[in-house]
Amino acid sequence: MTFLMAMAAPRLLPLPGVYAVNSSSVPWTIVFTLTLLTLLPAIILSMTPMVRLLVVFHFLRQALGTQTAPSNQVLMGLGLMMTWFLMQPVLLAVQHQAVEPFEQGKISGWEAIERGMEPPKLYMLHYAREKDLALFTSAAMLARPNKPEDLPLRVVIPAYMLSELKAGFEIGAVLFLPFLLVDMVVASITTSIGMYQLPPVVISTPLKILLFVMADGWHLLAGSLLKSF
């Protein structure tokens, strides 16, 4: 957000001895900034850990059997705050490499954008699987690069999203198993004693919630997610 505000701020008087932005480029900078703000939700979902977090939270809610608790707004807020926490090193790198030189007038807006994209790109390459990168590199008909850093963002971003989806489903599947076991035990007991009129989910859901609360599940889940990065 600091970077976007810095991009939108016009430079009316150039400082002596530093780079001066041409006043004619200010309207284009504002148009680009407003467009970037419109695409900000999609950027957050595609270039941050939020995809993995939301997938895991969805699996947890399904495993507990609570269809609307916590609500989507609560899970989205928790995912956004955890994403902000995890992306702090990347944001600081963007601040030092792009925002501060641009505010001082040492570089142009386009150069600031190019510098600012390097830390997120390195972050995504760290978690993107090699087979996903190879898939999109082949689909784009690009030559094999000398190093992953040479890949364009149109290859890195979808490969990163696929890798994050796979990681989220893996964590969600492991998280689902204990609650599935509770459902199976409750269903077998109610069936064996002839309680056909009462659905097993009516009994298993409070038991799963109680088990999750007694084990301090949110703390364990948050700790496990943080350690996965």
Side-chain angles (χ1 to χ4, degrees):
M1 184 60 67
T2 304
F3 177 64
L4 296 177
M5 293 175 64
M7 288 286 296
R11 298 288 194 271
L12 298 179
L13 296 176
L15 297 177
V18 298
Y19 181 85
V21 179
N22 190 352
S23 60
S24 63
S25 66
V26 172
W28 290 105
T29 303
I30 296 175
V31 170
F32 178 80
T33 303
L34 294 177
T35 304
L36 194 61
L37 284 173
T38 305
L39 298 176
L40 188 60
I43 293 174
I44 293 176
L45 283 174
S46 59
M47 300 176 62
T48 67
M50 200 166 183
V51 174
R52 184 189 306 190
L53 299 177
L54 292 181
V55 169
V56 173
F57 292 156
H58 174 76
F59 271 101
L60 174 63
R61 191 167 63 179
Q62 293 296 320
L64 287 173
T66 56
Q67 301 299 323
T68 58
S71 64
N72 291 331
Q73 291 82 356
V74 173
L75 295 181
M76 184 68 72
L78 178 59
L80 186 60
M81 292 300 103
M82 291 183 66
T83 299
W84 184 23
F85 177 82
L86 291 168
M87 294 295 289
Q88 275 295 310
V90 179
L91 296 177
L92 290 176
V94 173
Q95 175 76 18
H96 294 319
Q97 296 181 19
V99 178
E100 292 179 357
F102 178 78
E103 289 178 343
Q104 297 169 4
K106 296 180 179 179
I107 59 176
S108 64
W110 289 111
E111 188 176 355
I113 293 173
E114 292 177 357
R115 290 190 181 186
M117 289 306 301
E118 286 301 320
K121 184 178 180 180
L122 293 176
Y123 171 84
M124 290 186 288
L125 286 172
H126 181 72
Y127 293 102
R129 298 185 303 168
E130 184 177 352
K131 62 187 301 184
D132 292 330
L133 292 171
L135 171 65
F136 286 97
T137 301
S138 175
M141 293 183 291
L142 298 175
R144 183 180 179 87
N146 296 327
K147 53 183 179 179
E149 290 79 5
D150 296 333
L151 290 171
L153 283 175
R154 65 191 180 100
V155 171
V156 176
I157 293 177
Y160 169 76
M161 292 190 69
L162 283 185
S163 301
E164 286 295 283
L165 285 173
K166 181 179 185 299
F169 271 77
E170 288 177 345
I171 298 174
V174 174
L175 184 65
F176 211 104
L177 291 178
F179 299 104
L180 179 61
L181 180 62
V182 173
D183 285 332
M184 294 175 62
V185 171
V186 171
S188 63
I189 293 176
T190 55
T191 302
S192 62
I193 61 179
M195 296 178 60
Y196 298 104
Q197 294 81 8
L198 185 65
V201 68
V202 176
I203 301 175
S204 63
T205 298
L207 292 178
K208 290 187 292 185
I209 296 175
L210 181 62
L211 177 64
F212 186 74
V213 172
M214 292 180 61
D216 200 2
W218 286 111
H219 176 81
L220 295 176
L221 179 62
S224 300
L225 287 173
L226 293 177
K227 291 177 182 178
S228 67
F229 291 97

